[in-house]
């Protein structure tokens, strides 16, 4: 840890910390909501622990709307979504 967070969220350096204008409680609440959403998604997939997700590329799908955008329409995720074994 280099203690150099540019927005002051993850630092104890008082000078960098001044850059964070939010409330620490808001960040904590956001992270709790992210964790809750992750738990819901994992439960819908029948996954109980994050370690069970390692290597599970079979659970990943590219979003359909990527094909509608000219900048992302030609992206091919096949090699990224292929199992490593």
């Amino acid at each position: 840890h280099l203690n150099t967070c540019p927005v002051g969220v993850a630092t104890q350096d008082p000078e960098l910390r001044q850059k964070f204008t939010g409330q620490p409680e808001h960040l904590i609440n956001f992270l709790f909501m992210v964790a809750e959403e992750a738990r819901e998604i994992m439960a819908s997939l029948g996954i109980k622990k994050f370690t069970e997700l390692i290597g599970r590329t079979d659970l990943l799908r590219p979003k359909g709307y990527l094909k509608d955008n000219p900048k992302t329409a030609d992206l091919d995720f096949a090699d990224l979504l292929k199992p490593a074994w």
Side-chain angles (χ1 to χ4, degrees), residues 29-42:
N29 190 41
F30 171 74
L31 294 175
F32 272 112
M33 290 188 295
V34 168
E36 181 62 28
E37 186 173 353
R39 281 191 288 272
E40 290 172 6
I41 293 169
M42 289 169 58

Side-chain angles (χ1 to χ4, degrees), residues 47-60:
I47 304 291
K48 294 182 181 180
K49 297 180 181 181
F50 270 101
T51 55
E52 295 176 32
L53 291 172
I54 296 171
R56 293 293 309 271
T57 56
D58 60 307
L59 299 175
L60 300 174

Side-chain angles (χ1 to χ4, degrees), residues 39 56 63 66 71:
R39 281 191 288 272
R56 293 293 309 271
K63 297 285 186 177
L66 292 174
K71 292 183 178 181

